[in-house]
Amino acid sequence: MISRKVLITGSFAVGKTSLFNRFIHNTFSERYLTTIGVKVDKKEVAINGQDVSLVLWDIAGEVSQEKVPRTYFLGASAVVYVFDLSRPNTLKNMEADLKLIQKTLPGCLIKVIGNKKDLVSEEELIIMKRQIPETYLFTSAKTGENVEGLFLSLGAQLVEKKDLD
Amino acid sequence: MVHPGQIPNEQALLEEVRDILLRKDRETLQRLEDILDQRGQLAERVVPIIEEQLEHFKEHFPVAYRHTVERLIERKLKESQEELLNLIYPILGKMIRKYIAQQLQALRESVEVQIKQSFLGRLRARLSGVRESDIIISQAAGLRVEEAYVIGQHSGLLLGSASLHPTIDKELIAGMLTAIKSFVIDAFQRGDAELEMINYGNYQILIQDFYTYYIALAVNGALTAGEKEELSEQMFNFADRELARKIDPDDPAFHLHLQEKLRLYFIEKTLA
Ligand SMILES: Nc1nc2c(ncn2[C@@H]2O[C@H](COP(=O)(O)OP(=O)(O)OP(=O)(O)O)[C@@H](O)[C@H]2O)c(=O)[nH]1
Ligand SMILES: [Mg+2]
């Protein structure tokens, strides 16, 4: 069994806690309870016979990642960067944010997630997809779409990375 | 060697000429062979040459190789920085603690002398008959470390643990403790301050930071300053003996080793 720290970050109210809860407890709430500080939970997933324990850190959203305490990043093997598909504003600082994360954690695995897919139309999604790299994944914590897939592929990539080392 | 068609006479003549021409060389060769055959003789001749060369090397070494060696050491240091710091941290901590303990001891002694000399001190000794230190010790008996953890400093990932009773998910506890630590450090904006203790219900959680990891001990009941000191010292000893090395968090054998040692150092030991 290997264990990895995974940080979920991004702007406020984009659905970080909702993704966390959907993946770990398979629940969802419409209520918005902003996260204070940080919440940690974990889930074990099996990837090709290898057990991986994903320890998720769900932190308070910040408009810019500069505001996030550095200690939260340190020691993370992967970062899930979430933006809100229904609020294009949450994309505004993405480029600078990703750069900062890369600088803080060189070699770290970064997944960019557009959440609240259920709130946008197919047309809007197509337009959105043209503006961002293909690797960005769209999820809905509400319907659960792609949430399990996100964390499973993340686990697989972490195992792959370990085998390379 | 006699070739067909050669007259033996001619052969002898040739040999004679050869002998005349090469005699000197042959003698030299023979001398060299003798030298080589006898180690002593050889050493006599070669050692001074080597010594001379070494002397030359020593004198010129800094110029020729200093840069290379420096670079090599620098690179090696960089590569094993974590290892090195894990090695140094407990020793340094111990030294500082020892120094502080000595200073405190000196202070205590001087205070004691003053109390003894004072009227109040003499009165108290006559009335009670029991030394205060004895009272403290008798109250402490039975206190035990119930859980011990070694946790990755920032990742919060569990490196090893041991506990008196089976506990819920230790990995989760390790993660939460680390999150609390990070939160507290951030919330109070004290970058270099360490969180040393968390009180949780009846539990006291003692935390000692090292470089790439920290140790946490959960104790049921209130600790006196002396007990805290003892546990703290024990944590440093543990780090010095069991963790001063390069740590591979993915190595299951290492986890098992730590589990065993944590049990020995902390769980199976009652506080004095
Ligand atoms: N429709 C829809 N609503 C969502 C989805 N994900 C989250 N929400 C809602 O968005 C609001 C914010 O969700 P949270 O998960 O608390 O957001 P957060 O990113 O953790 O916010 P902070 O902790 O403040 O940074 C809540 O009201 C959620 O119900 C989604 O996929 N679809
Ligand atoms: Mg949240």
Side-chain angles (χ1 to χ4, degrees), chain B residues 105-156:
Chain B
Q105 183 65 28
L107 185 73
R108 203 176 298 142
E109 276 164 12
S110 87
V111 168
E112 253 165 38
V113 169
Q114 280 174 31
I115 289 179
K116 257 188 214 144
Q117 286 167 349
S118 75
F119 167 74
L120 214 74
R122 280 187 305 240
L123 187 73
R124 198 179 60 189
R126 197 165 302 161
L127 287 178
S128 68
V130 184
R131 280 208 339 242
E132 244 170 63
S133 49
D134 292 340
I135 299 173
I136 291 169
I137 288 169
S138 70
Q139 280 171 343
L143 257 190
R144 290 192 71 169
V145 175
E146 301 210 351
E147 286 170 50
Y149 301 87
V150 180
I151 302 168
Q153 182 68 270
H154 300 295
S155 68

Side-chain angles (χ1 to χ4, degrees), chain A residues 11-18 28-35 60-61 115-116 118-119 140-142:
Chain A
S11 193
F12 63 92
V14 294
K16 296 179 297 297
T17 302
S18 301
F28 176 79
S29 160
E30 294 280 355
R31 268 184 64 205
Y32 174 37
L33 269 175
T34 188
T35 305
N115 188 43
K116 306 196 189 178
D118 58 291
L119 289 184
S140 166
K142 186 173 181 176

Side-chain angles (χ1 to χ4, degrees), chain A residues 39-53:
Chain A
K39 190 162 183 271
V40 175
D41 214 327
K42 66 158 220 181
K43 187 166 172 170
E44 284 164 24
V45 293
I47 284 142
N48 302 328
Q50 161 90 67
D51 286 331
V52 185
S53 174

Side-chain angles (χ1 to χ4, degrees), chain B residues 51-70:
Chain B
E51 266 169 4
E52 197 187 297
Q53 283 298 315
L54 267 178
E55 209 45 51
H56 175 88
F57 189 62
K58 254 192 251 167
E59 270 165 32
H60 293 80
F61 178 80
V63 186
Y65 294 105
R66 203 178 59 206
H67 275 311
T68 319
V69 172
E70 271 175 5

Side-chain angles (χ1 to χ4, degrees), chain A residues 11 103 135 157:
Chain A
S11 193
K103 210 177 114 200
T135 49
Q157 275 171 282

